[in-house]
Amino acid sequence: MHIPSEQDFIQQLSIDCVIFGYEDKKLKVLVSTLNFNGNFQALPGGFVYQNEDIDDAANRTLKERTGISEIYLDQFFVFGKAARKNQNFLDELIRLNPQMPFDGKQNKDQYDWFTKRFVSIGYYALVDIKKVIPMKTDLDKSIQWCNVYELPDLIIDHNEIVSKALESLRLNLDKKLLAFNLLSETFTMKEAQELYESIFNKTFARNNFQKKILDMDVLERLEKKFTGAANKAPFLYRIKDKAKADESPKMM
Amino acid sequence: MHIPSEQDFIQQLSIDCVIFGYEDKKLKVLVSTLNFNGNFQALPGGFVYQNEDIDDAANRTLKERTGISEIYLDQFFVFGKAARKNQNFLDELIRLNPQMPFDGKQNKDQYDWFTKRFVSIGYYALVDIKKVIPMKTDLDKSIQWCNVYELPDLIIDHNEIVSKALESLRLNLDKKLLAFNLLSETFTMKEAQELYESIFNKTFARNNFQKKILDMDVLERLEKKFTGAANKAPFLYRIKDKAKADESPKMM
DNA sequence: TAATTATTGTCTATTTTGTAGACAATATTG
DNA sequence: CAATATTGTCTACAAAATAGACAATAATTA
């Protein structure tokens, strides 16, 4: 297992990624269970190489865990309390993993590197969950999607990081059209509405939701989707211009 | 002159502060002229002590330059391009300051510390300009207020940092009532309007501006202000609850 | 094959909010 | 005390958000 301890990374600076997906009408977050004894769960994260933009570091982390690049990614907050240390978490980890000698010379370096106070830059990402096969790194025992409203206890301040990410996502949805990054390429109006409802955790009026989305003039209507249900078939829609949608202003 | 080069700061992490003030109907930013030959101008900035919250580091920087604490302060963006180095700026500085031997052992350490790539956390602050006496540190030759729309060329990416700060301020004004932090405790409606106009760099309709502000129900009306002008005396207003105003939602 | 059902797409009426125009109130000046 | 410049507020109008209603239609069932 490679634990970074070298000068090739910027010291005491980390990246934490809140990767949002959407499935079964639920907003989800990708969470890793660490490859140690004890049930340590954490956000995917990483460090920044000396010659790497912080945005690229976040993208690299994302690519590692999801296999896809060109993901929508937004830096949303820096977590920089002095008390923000891995110390407690690591001590607990060492207690539960006595087989790992953390006092040897080499591991001592790692321990020192890791137990320093870290400033962490929070990024959130929006992915089409169907395009993602969550991938473990050698630090992960497993990695899985968790409902954002039913998250387990995560290490350090990672629960707080998710809260802040969700808050930022909501604010930015009003300004951009990011949400469609969470859906597959084509979708019905109902699916779009259910997505918005799960993000904002509240319901919208069907008639007015549809009007508002269509008035924005960013969707193109495709053929009908025959669902097999005993009712009128809904149209499928697709974003007219994806790149533009991530930037264009105003909604909700 | 003390240039930090020790382990007491987090390495390669800096804080840059965009300190907004308002005077003569102009939005201003506090800019330092560095204490070297050559006209190097920069935002007030600093570094983060090992045992210091990043917010506290920003506040410390602010206190140093303005003398006041309890300033409204907001973290708005992290500037983290790999190419973000002091190198070019420092080489130019050394060229123009040959009297300073930067190849001696001690200065070499400083040079090494400084020329590494830095990730910088941007904060913006809003201050009542009348309460501030801009103060030099030993790094500054002088420090002065500059009109935000007529900034000189600043070092590295500091012009870009100001742009981004202004953009964030505008977005946040819509959500909070921060603007009043830039005025003295009491002010007329006209003064408030002129402030908003200088922040957004556009005009507002007088009647509707007044209505909107008053409808928010955050101001209390005080006695009239007799200006000596040959017209109806305007009322003075004051924020009902300052702490609340910085948090409360919606406006413009 | 026509009635039934569940849902979709859209229209209109209503309410709320935003904008523009108008005017009375008033502190000073001449 | 009229003239002037500005302030505070009101109303009319326009635009946007919300709520209610209903026709269209894909499958099912009689």
Side-chain angles (χ1 to χ4, degrees):
Chain A
M1 173 168 10
H2 173 72
I3 296 180
S5 61
E6 319 297 329
Q7 286 290 109
D8 49 357
F9 288 112
I10 293 181
Q11 304 290 299
Q12 301 184 262
L13 184 71
S14 60
I15 300 267
D16 282 306
C17 294
V18 180
I19 307 173
F20 288 110
Y22 176 71
E23 198 175 35
D24 300 334
K25 309 188 182 180
K26 299 254 170 96
L27 186 65
K28 314 221 164 189
V29 171
L30 199 56
V31 170
S32 148
T33 301
L34 300 183
N35 193 17
F36 295 100
N37 292 332
N39 191 36
F40 298 107
Q41 299 190 277
L43 292 173
F47 306 100
V48 182
Y49 284 111
Q50 286 295 348
N51 284 304
E52 183 180 43
D53 291 359
I54 54 174
D55 287 358
D56 292 340
N59 266 311
R60 180 170 48 78
T61 302
L62 241 68
K63 172 100 192 209
E64 272 174 19
R65 311 302 180 112
T66 65
I68 55 176
S69 39
E70 303 197 18
I71 286 180
Y72 182 83
L73 194 60
D74 217 11
Q75 173 206 314
F76 68 93
F77 199 71
V78 184
F79 300 84
K81 295 259 185 219
R84 207 183 169 285
K85 291 187 173 206
N86 291 316
Q87 184 87 56
N88 292 342
F89 147 60
L90 262 191
D91 286 347
E92 177 74 358
L93 188 146
I94 289 167
R95 192 177 65 76
L96 293 170
N97 294 269
Q99 77 287 6
M100 298 190 62
F102 266 90
D103 43 3
K105 169 72 182 82
Q106 189 192 347
N107 285 326
K108 182 67 166 56
D109 287 348
Q110 292 178 359
Y111 183 81
D112 287 347
W113 195 85
F114 248 128
T115 50
K116 278 189 180 158
R117 164 262 185 102
F118 269 82
V119 170
S120 194
I121 306 173
Y123 279 83
Y124 69 85
L126 305 177
V127 303
D128 175 355
I129 207 167
K130 283 195 284 301
K131 287 191 187 152
V132 171
I133 302 159
M135 287 187 296
K136 297 191 290 182
T137 68
D138 48 9
L139 271 172
D140 310 309
K141 183 186 296 168
S142 64
I143 187 162
Q144 63 280 319
W145 293 103
C146 293
N147 293 338
V148 73
Y149 302 115
E150 301 160 11
L151 279 188
D153 283 343
L154 307 178
I155 64 168
I156 321 176
D157 55 357
H158 287 200
N159 289 87
E160 185 195 335
I161 294 178
V162 174
S163 295
K164 195 98 184 176
L166 183 55
E167 190 184 308
S168 300
L169 171 60
R170 287 175 180 168
L171 285 173
N172 286 327
L173 276 197
D174 291 352
K175 291 176 288 180
K176 307 179 182 181
L177 301 168
L178 314 177
F180 300 109
N181 285 295
L182 290 163
L183 294 175
S184 32
E185 198 186 337
T186 63
F187 47 86
T188 65
M189 193 54 72
K190 182 172 194 165
E191 286 167 347
Q193 180 171 346
E194 286 168 345
L195 168 61
Y196 269 83
E197 290 180 337
S198 70
I199 292 175
F200 286 97
N201 208 18
K202 67 173 184 178
T203 57
F204 294 99
R206 186 181 59 87
N207 47 0
N208 299 327
F209 180 87
Q210 181 146 359
K211 180 174 187 304
K212 204 163 212 165
I213 296 277
L214 292 180
D215 282 354
M216 292 188 307
D217 196 35
V218 293
L219 297 188
E220 57 180 327
R221 177 183 283 184
L222 308 173
E223 76 282 11
K224 287 188 177 182
K225 180 182 183 182
F226 293 86
T227 59
N231 54 38
K232 188 171 177 177
F235 289 103
L236 285 173
Y237 294 89
R238 178 171 56 196
I239 294 278
K240 271 185 185 171
D241 179 349
K242 192 86 161 29
K244 195 177 163 197
D246 286 344
E247 292 309 321
S248 76
K250 209 202 248 174
M251 111 139 267
M252 288 299 100
Chain B
M1 173 167 8
H2 173 71
I3 297 181
S5 61
E6 318 300 328
Q7 287 288 108
D8 50 356
F9 288 111
I10 293 181
Q11 306 287 301
Q12 300 183 263
L13 185 71
S14 59
I15 300 269
D16 283 307
C17 293
V18 180
I19 307 173
F20 288 111
Y22 175 73
E23 198 173 36
D24 300 334
K25 307 188 183 182
K26 299 255 171 94
L27 187 65
K28 314 222 165 191
V29 172
L30 199 57
V31 171
S32 149
T33 301
L34 299 184
N35 193 18
F36 295 100
N37 293 332
N39 190 37
F40 297 106
Q41 299 191 278
L43 292 174
F47 306 99
V48 182
Y49 285 110
Q50 285 295 347
N51 284 304
E52 184 180 42
D53 291 358
I54 55 174
D55 287 358
D56 292 339
N59 266 311
R60 179 170 49 76
T61 302
L62 242 69
K63 172 101 195 212
E64 272 174 18
R65 311 302 180 113
T66 66
I68 55 176
S69 40
E70 302 197 20
I71 286 179
Y72 182 83
L73 194 61
D74 216 10
Q75 174 207 116
F76 67 94
F77 198 71
V78 184
F79 299 85
K81 294 259 186 218
R84 206 182 170 285
K85 290 187 174 208
N86 291 316
Q87 183 88 54
N88 292 342
F89 147 61
L90 261 190
D91 287 347
E92 176 74 359
L93 189 149
I94 289 167
R95 192 177 65 76
L96 293 170
N97 294 269
Q99 77 286 5
M100 297 189 64
F102 265 90
D103 44 5
K105 170 70 184 84
Q106 189 192 346
N107 285 327
K108 182 65 166 59
D109 286 349
Q110 291 178 359
Y111 184 80
D112 287 347
W113 148 265
F114 248 126
T115 50
K116 278 192 180 156
R117 165 261 184 103
F118 269 81
V119 170
S120 194
I121 305 174
Y123 278 84
Y124 69 84
L126 305 177
V127 304
D128 175 357
I129 206 167
K130 283 196 284 298
K131 287 191 186 152
V132 172
I133 303 158
M135 287 186 297
K136 296 191 290 183
T137 67
D138 47 9
L139 272 172
D140 310 309
K141 183 187 295 166
S142 65
I143 187 162
Q144 63 279 322
W145 292 103
C146 292
N147 293 338
V148 73
Y149 302 115
E150 301 160 11
L151 278 188
D153 283 342
L154 308 179
I155 64 169
I156 323 176
D157 56 355
H158 287 200
N159 289 86
E160 185 195 336
I161 293 179
V162 174
S163 295
K164 193 97 184 175
L166 183 56
E167 189 184 310
S168 300
L169 171 61
R170 286 174 180 169
L171 284 174
N172 286 327
L173 276 197
D174 291 353
K175 291 175 290 179
K176 306 180 184 181
L177 302 169
L178 313 178
F180 300 110
N181 286 295
L182 290 162
L183 294 174
S184 33
E185 197 186 337
T186 64
F187 47 85
T188 65
M189 194 54 72
K190 182 172 195 164
E191 286 166 346
Q193 181 171 347
E194 286 168 344
L195 168 61
Y196 268 84
E197 290 179 337
S198 70
I199 292 175
F200 287 96
N201 207 21
K202 66 173 186 177
T203 57
F204 295 99
R206 185 181 59 86
N207 46 0
N208 299 326
F209 179 87
Q210 181 145 357
K211 181 174 187 302
K212 205 162 210 164
I213 296 276
L214 292 180
D215 282 355
M216 290 189 308
D217 195 37
V218 294
L219 298 187
E220 58 180 326
R221 175 184 283 184
L222 307 173
E223 76 282 10
K224 286 188 175 184
K225 181 182 185 183
F226 293 87
T227 60
N231 53 38
K232 186 171 178 177
F235 288 101
L236 286 173
Y237 295 88
R238 178 171 57 195
I239 293 279
K240 272 185 185 171
D241 178 350
K242 194 84 160 29
K244 196 178 162 194
D246 285 345
E247 291 308 322
S248 75
K250 209 201 249 175
M251 111 138 268
M252 290 297 99

